[in-house]
Amino acid sequence: AFLAALQSGECPSLECVQLHLKAVRQEDLEALAAGRIPAVRVLGLDLDLARLKAFVREVRYASEGPKFDTLDLRAAFSFFDVNWGASTDGDVEDVAERESHWLKMLGEAIDMGRLTSLRKFELRVHSQSEMDFSSDEIAEGKSALLSAFSRVRLPLLCELSMRGVDLSDDHMNLLSGAFRNGNLPVLRVFDLSANRNVGQDGMEFLMGSVFENDKGLPHLEKLELGETNG
């Protein structure tokens, strides 16, 4: 009701509204993503998988992107949340490709400069379903997202967590570009835990890129690498 009131013509003028939302209607979420509630300047979202995809899709395809001062985006889910359909290989591959698509859209939104307000980003897959996030189709989506981090400077991003999303050494090589290019200058918390396919090569890619940048990661306070093989 509050978000609907902010969109109405009868709402008094508000310049800066701060919200942290967990339960939110999809239409309100899409309005926020498309910048149709400009009074909301500071936004924190804690979303399930379906709402995360709806938000990402609207950020990517809206005629104008959001204009938040800061955005905190968190999604923790199990791939039991996904309807994997029938058990035949073709059906599972189709679903995996669809699940990869929103990761690609998120990378595209970053490339378009629509998420420069991102302050905290957490993507966490519950460990009991981690293997569901390891298909080749979904790996392509993760690669697209990590490549975007390497191309676009995110000046406010201080917390980056990708726990249990089955990253690999190749993914670390892509992500290393973000550090080499100085695109995460204020990163304070970096969580890669529970990515068991990250090994020594992946860690060398990351650490090497940090040392290649003269400024390194001067604000880093917390680095989580538990349950990796690095």
Side-chain angles (χ1 to χ4, degrees), residues 3-228:
L3 289 175
L6 286 179
Q7 296 180 73
S8 78
E10 299 177 359
C11 179
S13 176
L14 298 173
E15 293 185 357
C16 183
V17 177
Q18 301 184 33
L19 294 176
H20 183 89
L21 301 173
K22 195 167 187 178
V24 55
R25 298 182 308 168
Q26 183 166 320
E27 54 264 39
D28 291 334
L29 195 62
E30 292 174 351
L32 287 165
R36 296 198 297 271
I37 313 181
V40 177
R41 306 299 302 169
V42 177
L43 180 64
L45 293 174
D46 190 344
L47 303 174
D48 59 24
L49 182 59
R51 287 180 174 83
L52 173 65
K53 289 191 285 188
F55 181 79
V56 168
R57 182 173 57 251
E58 195 66 27
V59 169
R60 166 62 180 85
Y61 289 111
S63 58
E64 292 186 16
K67 296 177 175 62
F68 306 119
D69 292 337
T70 62
L71 170 64
D72 297 345
L73 185 57
R74 178 182 185 272
F77 55 88
S78 163
F79 259 52
F80 294 122
D81 296 337
V82 177
N83 179 8
W84 285 86
S87 60
T88 63
D89 290 342
D91 288 332
V92 172
E93 289 175 2
D94 288 345
V95 175
E97 185 174 353
R98 289 198 299 272
E99 293 307 314
S100 176
H101 185 58
W102 70 264
L103 289 166
K104 293 177 182 178
M105 286 193 297
L106 181 56
E108 291 167 358
I110 292 173
D111 273 329
M112 294 168 70
R114 293 190 166 190
L115 289 172
T116 54
S117 61
L118 198 61
R119 181 178 63 174
K120 298 179 182 180
F121 178 69
E122 178 179 354
L123 185 63
R124 180 179 299 230
V125 179
H126 299 316
S127 59
Q128 67 265 29
S129 61
E130 181 179 1
M131 292 303 294
D132 291 329
F133 213 62
S134 63
S135 73
D136 290 342
E137 291 83 1
I138 295 178
E140 292 178 8
K142 288 181 285 188
S143 294
L145 173 59
L146 296 173
S147 295
F149 283 123
S150 73
R151 290 189 293 268
V152 178
R153 183 177 174 86
L154 297 172
L156 303 180
L157 188 64
C158 61
E159 296 187 18
L160 175 59
S161 176
M162 300 188 73
R163 175 183 174 86
V165 298
D166 205 65
L167 298 178
S168 66
D169 288 343
D170 287 340
H171 291 128
M172 292 299 96
N173 192 20
L174 293 173
L175 184 57
S176 67
F179 301 114
R180 185 178 299 109
N181 298 329
N183 287 345
L184 307 176
V186 298
L187 191 66
R188 183 174 55 83
V189 176
F190 188 31
D191 185 357
L192 292 174
S193 56
N195 285 291
R196 296 180 180 85
N197 286 327
V198 172
Q200 182 176 346
D201 288 346
M203 288 298 106
E204 289 178 354
F205 288 141
L206 277 182
M207 300 314 298
S209 66
V210 173
F211 289 122
E212 287 177 32
N213 185 304
D214 291 340
K215 295 183 180 179
L217 293 173
H219 300 283
L220 190 66
E221 298 176 2
K222 186 177 182 181
L223 177 62
E224 293 281 359
L225 299 173
E227 299 180 71
T228 68

